[in-house]
Amino acid sequence: MGQLTALDAQFLSTESDTTVTHVAGVAVLDGSVTRDRLVALLRDRVHLAPPLRMRLADVPFGLDRPYWTEDDDFDVADHVHESTLRHEDELAVHVARLHARKLDRSRPLWEMHLIHGLGEGRVAVYTKVHHAAIDGVSGSEILGAFLDLTPEQRQVEPPSADTPRAKAPNPAEMLAEAFGRLLTQPGDTVRSLTRAVADLDAMPVSGGLPGAHRLASAARRLLGEKPLPPLPSLAAPRTPFNGPITRMRTFAYGSIALSDVKHVGRTFGMSVNDVVMTVVSGALRSWLEEHAALPGQPLVAAVPVAVRTTKGHETIGNQISAMITPLATDVADPEERLSAVRGLMATAKRRFAVSRTNWLNDLCSVLPAPIATFATPHLFRLAGKVTPGVNLIVSNVPGPQLPLYLCGARLLAYYPMSVLSDVTGGLSITCLSYDGSLDFGVVACPARVPDVWRIMDHLREAMAELVKLADATDPE
């Protein structure tokens, strides 16, 4: 499995007293699931999910990025917990508390919580895995390894007896590699900075600076690269979402019909993701108006994009990039907002299609590992006080459009949950399409968003507004 990349290690460095960097989700299931059955299923299939068996092996004195190594004492039962609610209404609060807690870095970086008390024969399973180990695509594939197409659990091939175990180098080898990397770091920093400057106009903060496109174009000419399509200003306005966050989290969830999203998309010639971005734009505009805090310029969102070239369940770590794009929160009319989002997303996609997709890793490679580990939380905190990098993260993960089962219980919905930070804001909106629904998970810092359920209300209202508009445009 090897050493963490600079991007993977950044997800570790970013963690602080107020920031956790795991990704998670809440599965709501129709049927009885016991902890014993869940543990047995995980034991039977955990070899299909390498990230769940790996722990961190730190380099002595923190001189380099950690390595992944297979945990000799690993037992899935140590990672599976159980609780019972008094009422289903407690689910969001309970999950938010779990989501706010850090994972234990001395063990494989994941937890699963079986939650009873939802009533009507339903249970929930909250699962979190550190972002250093997975991205959205690999997380979905790992989840799929434990799900079945029917209530009957399928048989899987056991692990091969001669499969080599992934082990980290010994401390002496780690130190030798670390000293070698420290010697080459100045050159690596210059190369990373040069590549990063070539994408200056597509990155948070710098993309909103005057002359960013000219400077990026000059860097691309220096590197012998072709000119790239220009982007609109990516200057993120100050909103209630932005600023230093606390360690507390709140959570809201809900679903909208995927058929409604596709109906709007067909009517106005847009993709599902474009419609999602329009819905989010409308919801955020309504919330900000409700709080007398709507800025005159559009909000700016970070949209994670998978650039994975290998199967997620066979690897560990991240293969992601991000599109930074304005949202049409400054457009009052819903039809005009649709048109604005379509144009903004088309521009962002054209640029992304012909750009390098590793600027995130380039940025994370600028500082040597020991400095990055110490400095990152302080830099993020300072940036949160000075200027928002982006206003929020918006992520849309495609999922299967057929019913799935866990331990014989039917999966009714899966509400994904993402990361908050001082740089990316105190609000994240993630959705996953599954079996005819678009399931939303909204995570917030209550100091930034004191009424997270209103965000979910506004998402539904924005979708209803677009459906009404589509019905009027195309009555058939």
Side-chain angles (χ1 to χ4, degrees), residues 44-45 148 152-158:
D44 187 49
R45 301 186 188 180
D148 295 296
E152 297 297 322
Q153 291 181 205
R154 71 185 189 280
Q155 297 297 312
V156 300
E157 290 290 330

Side-chain angles (χ1 to χ4, degrees), residues 80-336:
V80 180
H81 310 276
E82 191 171 22
S83 56
T84 301
L85 308 178
R86 291 173 297 180
H87 192 274
E88 182 181 3
D89 291 346
E90 298 177 347
L91 179 62
V93 173
H94 183 63
V95 166
R97 288 174 182 156
L98 296 175
H99 199 63
R101 299 175 189 168
K102 289 183 181 179
L103 287 161
D104 182 355
R105 292 195 185 182
S106 68
R107 305 192 303 174
L109 297 175
W110 66 280
E111 288 178 4
M112 186 173 285
H113 294 257
L114 175 61
I115 304 168
H116 303 279
L118 273 62
E120 300 179 357
R122 291 173 295 129
V123 297
V125 176
Y126 166 79
T127 307
K128 63 180 175 182
V129 186
H130 204 286
H131 215 326
I134 65 167
D135 54 37
V137 171
S138 60
S140 295
E141 292 185 9
I142 287 170
L143 175 66
F146 301 105
L147 297 171
D148 295 296
L149 297 174
T150 70
E152 297 297 322
Q153 291 181 205
R154 71 185 189 280
Q155 297 297 312
V156 300
E157 290 290 330
S160 173
D162 57 358
T163 301
R165 292 172 61 83
K167 302 300 292 183
N170 63 47
E173 292 170 328
M174 287 183 182
L175 285 172
E177 183 69 24
F179 284 122
R181 193 183 305 279
L182 288 174
L183 292 174
T184 62
Q185 182 65 45
D188 292 341
T189 296
V190 171
R191 285 187 290 272
S192 295
L193 274 174
T194 304
R195 290 193 299 265
V197 170
D199 288 303
L200 198 68
D201 56 339
M203 296 188 296
V205 181
S206 63
L209 298 176
H213 180 67
R214 289 194 300 274
L215 186 56
S217 297
R220 285 192 286 269
R221 286 195 298 272
L222 182 64
L223 292 170
E225 298 179 357
K226 295 179 180 179
L228 294 177
L231 291 168
S233 172
L234 300 180
R238 177 68 67 177
T239 73
F241 308 141
N242 302 110
I245 61 173
T246 71
R247 67 181 65 191
M248 302 298 292
R249 299 292 181 267
T250 52
F251 174 57
Y253 59 92
S255 302
I256 61 178
L258 187 59
S259 58
D260 286 345
V261 177
K262 291 181 176 180
H263 172 43
V264 173
R266 284 192 303 268
T267 302
F268 296 101
M270 302 170 70
S271 69
V272 167
N273 193 60
D274 291 349
V275 177
V276 168
M277 298 300 284
T278 308
V279 168
V280 170
S281 296
L284 296 178
R285 177 183 174 87
S286 295
W287 189 92
L288 290 165
E289 282 186 318
E290 197 171 77
H291 292 76
L294 179 66
Q297 64 192 102
L299 270 64
V300 174
V303 182
V305 180
V307 292
R308 184 166 288 279
T309 58
T310 57
K311 292 184 177 180
H313 64 275
E314 295 177 351
T315 58
I316 190 167
N318 289 267
Q319 294 183 34
I320 59 170
S321 187
M323 288 193 307
I324 311 301
T325 181
L327 299 171
T329 51
D330 57 327
V331 181
D333 181 78
E335 187 168 5
E336 292 178 7

Side-chain angles (χ1 to χ4, degrees), residues 11 18 27 29 63 110 112 277 287 309 351 380 395 462 464:
F11 284 116
T18 60
L29 302 158
L63 291 177
W110 66 280
M112 186 173 285
M277 298 300 284
W287 189 92
T309 58
R351 173 62 182 268
F380 271 49
S395 183

Side-chain angles (χ1 to χ4, degrees), residues 20 22-24 99 131 304 393 395 416-420 428-430 441 443:
V20 292
H22 44 255
V23 288
H99 199 63
H131 215 326
I393 296 174
S395 183
M417 304 174 68
S418 191
V419 174
L420 306 181
S428 71
I429 299 176
T430 312
V443 179

